[in-house]
Amino acid sequence: MMKAGPSQEEIRRHNLGALLRFVHVRGPASRAILAENLGLNRSTIMALTSDLTAAGLVREELPRTPGRRAGRPSLVVRPESTRVYVLAFDVGVDRLTVARVGLGGVILDRREAARGRVAASGGASGAADPNEMVNALAAAARSLVRKAGDEATCVGAALAFPGIVRRSDDQVMFGPNLDVGGMAIGEVLSRRLGLGVPVAVCNDANLGAIAEHERGAGVGVNDLIYLHGDVGVGGGIITGGRLLGGEDGYGGEIGHMVVNPGGRRCACGSRGCLEAEVGERTLLDLAGRQESPDVPGREAVRAVVDAAARGDVVARDALHRVGTWLGRGVADLVNIFNPGMVIFGGTLRDVYLGAAAQIRSEVATGALAASRERVKLRTAALGDDTTLVGAAEFAFADVLADPVQVLARLRGAPASAPVP
Amino acid sequence: MMKAGPSQEEIRRHNLGALLRFVHVRGPASRAILAENLGLNRSTIMALTSDLTAAGLVREELPRTPGRRAGRPSLVVRPESTRVYVLAFDVGVDRLTVARVGLGGVILDRREAARGRVAASGGASGAADPNEMVNALAAAARSLVRKAGDEATCVGAALAFPGIVRRSDDQVMFGPNLDVGGMAIGEVLSRRLGLGVPVAVCNDANLGAIAEHERGAGVGVNDLIYLHGDVGVGGGIITGGRLLGGEDGYGGEIGHMVVNPGGRRCACGSRGCLEAEVGERTLLDLAGRQESPDVPGREAVRAVVDAAARGDVVARDALHRVGTWLGRGVADLVNIFNPGMVIFGGTLRDVYLGAAAQIRSEVATGALAASRERVKLRTAALGDDTTLVGAAEFAFADVLADPVQVLARLRGAPASAPVP
């Protein structure tokens, strides 16, 4: 049911958010450009800018490259990237990344650590212990916060996780490649940080889709599919400009479409899932290679793609087979979604680069002519940072929805000592 | 990019639409109920009702069942169902339906005709000629319009078609089971009617999804999948409360997901598509039955389901096999969409009723536990009228978005003589 129209106060809040989002996504802009793009008059822009400046979210200054026209140059509104930031956490199967990302999307600082993975047999090594993981994430984040100094304010935090996550309480419901044993990662991490901000936990591929849509290959594409390979295969889907969440937030689990009934066994219990046919383990297995602690998955996948390019027949056949099933899965998705773009990220980025012809040929054969006519196949423009950038964008959502309110609440919050 | 806040005029238009949509979807309502549900005060409701009454879209009257309280009963706002209507066209492979549907969703009057279908071999019979089809539709519609009289105004028209339709120009791009040879059905029909309203052409399953979401089994379910069986198998998908259209409007073609690689040949050129494995022709073929002009597809499917229920082994095995593939396709869709509900319509309604246990078992096996946990499987509550009701809802969209403007334009339009 449609809601009735908004109040004046709601309109002001909406406009503040719209202006801040504009400079956050598009970068510094003059009042004239803001007025034109937001459909507001100059005096409204001036009032909004003044509120955002007072809150410490933007500042106005002379453009860095002076304009060509003579006379006084127009001031530009610039996001306060160093003073207002979020913490973005990316939990991969092989590595942990924590970054401090400033308003405007600038990665200001980062920490990375390799981590031991759960063995393919299911036995967990010591380094895969979820407590150790949270310890490592919290320590890295605290070090970033200390370095940022007291002048800077953390306005949000989010964590990209390779598993399916319930929207209502951020609980990880299924993460066969990285078991967290029912731990409420977000809550634990938030307490350990003591910054007064919650840590949202989201599926990594969903965040990848958001990142590529906002800042990557899919800018301006309102219907896109992001496919993410780590050990597993996940998906994030944007339809009509919005993330497909589904009833509980589990939408986009394209890794568990059955493309090959009776095919390879999958971690989910089925056979022939897309993940089972095109995942990292299958590619390495077909290529006669093993993962090893020295060569984590992503590099092992790259080694197969490189070997295939140099003419290694076993590697080439392995890539061909994986490319075929990946192409068939993409053809199904093209029929179902009629997307404007399909983006390959994580290890699937490398697979796509090595098997593009194969994948395109399967899409041409398997998808309806009309549905595939305008689809573009692309690799993730944000490279290995796709899911990390997505976590940052997700973490900024609150402050962009209600900038002044959120900042006032955070600055007024009594500082709680971080739990060591 | 977020747009800036709306003007006062936009708010008024929005509120008029919200009020009209409320009584259209939920039925007659008192001012008090409207004020509460729309979040507006009573004086605003009174002003809006007065505008809509002046435009002839609603009227206020005493409730038909008097309230229990003593004193003057509160007036209710009621949509002008007999004075404001749309024309809904439903083109099935076996039958044509045209209905006059009043504001509020009341089917006021209807005409139906059986039609010859394109033979399975691909040769067209005379009665499947698209010109004859349009003639039949136009004649039926004109008879309905005449009967409605001069007091009634047609505010929109839409046609449900079993094929994929380009959003930008309503062109049918692919309709293997009903060839229209590139004819712009909507334009031709609109000219023939001469009512000054365009005739939108939409994919039938997409309209089915809209209908079940607004008035059927899926009311209140924001993520649902509607599966429609005619000769082919189509899908309509609602995500986050909105129809999944995709880049060009072809979204939802779940009939061409390949569930069984190397399986039965499909009209699209692939093998093992969901449509090829669970469509009407396959069920009849497996059951050793033929379509015939005397028993059109839907009735032939019902006959198989009835025979299976009476213990006919061949029919039971056929239904079992079709149910298995249908269940596997649904399991994939549950993983991809995490829907709150999957609705079976058209001939798939009968297949579901005959093979529910089989379908549920495949979903339990093939879908992730979290993703299927809350999904409900249901048959179309609107029965054989699902796609017709969807066409009516689509046709009402313009007047609900801007009620007074649309009505003023139509009543001011110079009457053009219908093209005979």
Side-chain angles (χ1 to χ4, degrees), chain A residues 3-5 8 14-15 38 239-240 242 246-250 252-253 256 258-259 261 332 335-338 370 374, chain B residues 3-5 8 14-15 38 239-240 242 246-250 252-253 256-259 261 332 335-338 370 374:
Chain A
K3 280 277 293 178
Q8 289 303 314
H14 174 96
N15 285 341
L38 300 175
T239 64
R242 299 188 309 181
E247 183 78 0
D248 297 294
Y250 311 140
E253 281 301 321
H256 300 286
V258 175
V259 289
D332 283 344
N335 284 335
I336 297 171
F337 289 99
N338 178 214
R374 301 208 299 149
Chain B
K3 282 279 293 178
Q8 289 303 314
H14 173 96
N15 285 342
L38 301 175
T239 65
R242 298 188 310 182
E247 184 78 2
D248 298 294
Y250 310 141
E253 280 301 321
H256 301 285
M257 295 168 61
V258 175
V259 289
D332 284 344
N335 284 333
I336 298 172
F337 288 99
N338 178 213
R374 300 208 299 150

Side-chain angles (χ1 to χ4, degrees), chain B residues 43-306:
Chain B
S43 64
T44 306
I45 295 291
M46 191 147 57
L48 295 170
T49 304
S50 152
D51 284 358
L52 292 173
T53 304
L57 288 159
V58 303
R59 65 179 187 282
E60 289 190 282
E61 57 176 34
L62 289 172
R64 284 178 191 173
T65 51
R68 287 177 191 186
R69 284 182 304 174
R72 213 179 57 159
S74 169
L75 292 175
V76 297
V77 179
R78 188 179 291 278
E80 281 280 15
S81 300
T82 53
R83 289 185 53 190
V84 179
Y85 70 91
V86 296
L87 289 170
F89 298 88
D90 188 26
V91 173
V93 177
D94 298 315
R95 62 169 192 166
L96 301 176
T97 310
V98 186
R100 196 162 69 79
V101 181
L103 194 62
V106 198
I107 297 180
L108 299 165
D109 202 354
R110 66 197 294 161
R111 299 281 183 276
E112 290 195 31
R115 57 186 294 277
R117 62 163 66 179
V118 178
S121 64
S125 74
D129 176 349
N131 286 304
E132 286 192 28
M133 178 184 85
V134 170
N135 286 344
L137 293 172
R142 280 201 300 259
S143 132
L144 291 173
V145 170
R146 268 195 308 274
K147 217 175 126 193
D150 291 343
E151 283 297 286
T153 306
C154 177
V155 296
L159 180 145
F161 189 85
I164 81 174
V165 182
R166 185 159 61 196
R167 184 171 41 208
S168 57
D169 61 0
D170 281 8
Q171 188 74 33
V172 173
M173 301 305 287
F174 181 63
N177 301 305
L178 189 66
D179 188 11
V180 291
M183 178 196 276
I185 314 173
E187 273 176 49
V188 174
L189 204 46
S190 175
R191 270 202 308 277
R192 300 284 274 283
L193 295 176
L195 296 169
V197 296
V199 179
V201 178
C202 305
N203 171 267
D204 56 355
N206 284 357
L207 293 177
I210 291 173
E212 289 292 325
H213 179 57
E214 294 255 305
R215 299 187 180 274
V219 169
V221 182
N222 276 330
D223 293 271
L224 66 81
I225 296 172
Y226 173 74
L227 298 175
H228 186 75
D230 194 331
V231 169
V233 171
I237 297 163
I238 306 278
T239 65
R242 298 188 310 182
L243 183 72
L244 188 163
E247 184 78 2
D248 298 294
Y250 310 141
E253 280 301 321
I254 50 85
H256 301 285
M257 295 168 61
V258 175
V259 289
N260 184 20
R264 286 173 170 256
R265 187 164 288 288
C266 182
C268 76
S270 288
R271 280 181 175 279
C273 294
L274 185 64
E275 172 168 319
E277 300 296 339
V278 313
E280 173 194 311
R281 281 174 189 147
T282 300
L283 179 67
L284 298 181
D285 183 36
L286 290 168
R289 290 161 188 243
Q290 295 292 317
E291 324 160 25
S292 80
D294 302 333
V295 185
R298 201 166 287 190
E299 279 154 53
V301 169
R302 279 178 193 159
V304 174
V305 174
D306 289 347

